Amino acid sequence: MKWLYVVVSIGLSFLGGCDQIRDLTSSSNKQESNASASAPAPAQTERTYTFSAPPRESYEDGMKQYGAIADYLSRVTGKKIEYVHQTNWISYLQGIKQGDYDIVFDGPHFNAWRNRYLNHEPIARIDFPCADTERAAGKCKTFKPEWFMVYREGTDTSRLSGRTFCLHAPPNFGTLSLMHTKFPDPAHQPHIKEMKGWLKMVKAVRDNTNECEFTVSRMKHIKSADPAGQVLAYESFDAFVQQGFTMRRDLPADMRAKIAAALLSEKSGQATAAFHKRLVSDKHALQGYKDSSDYDKPFDILAQQYLVPWALFKYSAVAMR
């Protein structure tokens, strides 16, 4: 009942002060009316724009990687752009759906959702470098890294339903794409143990810990956990375009142009070194992109595996593309 005591106390304090407030009101109103005639109009505060990314890092790592991007874009645009750190998927998705974020970096499934249904436009994605002349000639090669199902050598893979998969919580794209490809039948599903960290999950399968029989990963984590290739086995189940940036279409035109130019410039790698070190390897770069058929399957996976089951999206809606 402590909360009730606090509420009653606040109420009594307010009632006790009403007489004093009433005595001060008339004189206060006179002072305000005299002051309002000569007081200047309040200054317009400039809008703060928001940049966000999925809840995958600690606050410290998020600020180091994405906070630097917000600072960089603030400098080049002359606008106040602030990184908003996420702690869980529900609030992240809710913020996207409500239009709380002006600029976002995340996976291809979310890119497609925002670009087609939430009034966003593509800016840049992690891709193979491509010169302007190659792009004009339509000769740019698209970076589509493979996703692998990972298990120990000798593991029986003839039956996957009911087996233990250590995976990131949905709507992580690795998890959703595996479920979409390997488990299309709702009656035959795996036992999922949620974990965080690609390398951590691959090592758990390698070491046969946490009951992890299978996981999903990219090749770099497999090679890192088992460089000699003596313990782990794996099989590719699909390949998709990489993560990218999108921004709201209703941002000022000059601001949108400056953001796109800044992310695609060579200075971007220097100004956002922590982000590039983690996500953009030496063989890749941030490149401009357009929504295309490459995003049809990532969006379909997001819709069928997550948005529709959780009633976050009306699948019969008409896309903008």
Side-chain angles (χ1 to χ4, degrees):
M1 299 297 289
K2 185 177 181 181
W3 64 270
L4 180 60
Y5 171 77
V6 173
V7 171
V8 172
S9 299
I10 293 173
L12 290 175
S13 299
F14 172 75
L15 291 174
C18 282
D19 290 339
Q20 295 176 343
I21 294 173
R22 192 179 299 111
D23 293 338
L24 293 173
T25 300
S26 57
S27 60
S28 175
N29 285 343
K30 290 178 183 179
Q31 293 176 359
E32 289 178 2
S33 61
N34 292 333
S36 62
S38 57
Q44 290 284 340
T45 56
E46 187 174 354
R47 174 185 167 183
T48 297
Y49 297 89
T50 58
F51 165 58
S52 194
R56 300 178 295 198
E57 295 86 10
S58 65
Y59 175 79
E60 292 74 19
D61 286 340
M63 291 303 299
K64 185 177 180 180
Q65 295 168 23
Y66 300 120
I69 295 176
D71 293 342
Y72 170 57
L73 295 180
S74 295
R75 292 195 301 271
V76 299
T77 62
K79 305 290 185 180
K80 186 177 181 182
I81 300 175
E82 183 178 76
Y83 165 63
V84 178
H85 184 72
Q86 303 296 329
T87 57
N88 64 81
W89 284 107
I90 297 300
S91 62
Y92 177 64
L93 287 172
Q94 187 177 36
I96 289 177
K97 189 176 181 183
Q98 292 175 347
D100 293 344
Y101 317 132
D102 300 295
I103 310 162
V104 189
F105 172 82
D106 52 18
H109 52 326
F110 287 130
N111 286 190
W113 182 30
R114 287 192 303 276
N115 291 338
R116 298 181 182 186
Y117 295 88
L118 300 178
N119 199 37
H120 271 234
E121 65 178 348
I123 316 174
R125 74 179 176 201
I126 301 170
D127 214 336
F128 288 121
C130 186
D132 292 338
T133 53
E134 294 177 296
R135 185 174 290 104
K139 295 182 178 180
C140 292
K141 185 180 178 182
T142 302
F143 176 43
K144 291 185 177 181
E146 290 183 287
W147 286 99
F148 296 91
M149 184 177 73
V150 187
Y151 45 92
R152 290 172 61 87
E153 286 279 6
T155 299
D156 178 13
T157 62
S158 61
R159 178 188 60 82
L160 296 178
S161 62
R163 307 287 287 276
T164 301
F165 280 71
C166 290
L167 302 169
H168 283 104
N172 177 273
F173 189 61
T175 299
L176 294 184
S177 59
L178 175 82
M179 298 299 291
H180 181 86
T181 304
K182 293 291 188 180
F183 300 95
D185 185 352
H188 296 87
Q189 298 293 300
H191 170 60
I192 296 177
K193 297 194 72 171
E194 291 184 6
M195 290 182 67
K196 274 191 173 184
W198 300 111
L199 187 56
K200 182 179 179 180
M201 293 188 297
V202 174
K203 286 182 176 180
V205 171
R206 179 198 68 188
D207 300 336
N208 199 23
T209 57
N210 199 31
E211 302 177 1
C212 297
E213 295 181 272
F214 299 87
T215 190
V216 59
S217 180
R218 295 266 176 74
M219 182 55 71
K220 65 179 182 179
H221 303 297
I222 301 171
K223 294 295 185 182
S224 178
D226 184 24
Q230 296 179 343
V231 181
L232 295 175
Y234 47 86
E235 58 183 79
S236 170
F237 61 86
D238 218 328
F240 303 93
V241 290
Q242 253 282 19
Q243 302 178 81
F245 291 85
T246 73
M247 62 183 165
R248 293 169 59 104
R249 295 178 187 271
D250 58 0
L251 294 181
D254 61 332
M255 180 180 178
R256 286 159 47 210
K258 289 178 180 178
I259 289 173
L263 288 175
L264 298 175
S265 73
E266 293 183 2
K267 294 180 180 179
S268 175
Q270 301 170 2
T272 61
F275 168 81
H276 275 73
K277 182 178 180 180
R278 179 183 170 224
L279 294 166
V280 187
S281 70
D282 294 338
K283 297 180 180 179
H284 304 107
L286 287 179
Q287 297 285 286
Y289 75 101
K290 294 181 179 179
D291 193 356
S292 67
S293 59
D294 287 334
Y295 288 85
D296 291 346
K297 191 171 183 179
F299 174 76
D300 203 42
I301 289 173
L302 177 66
Q304 290 187 18
Q305 299 293 322
Y306 194 81
L307 296 181
V308 172
W310 285 94
L312 292 171
F313 176 72
K314 185 178 179 182
Y315 196 46
S316 61
V318 178
M320 295 176 65
R321 188 172 72 86

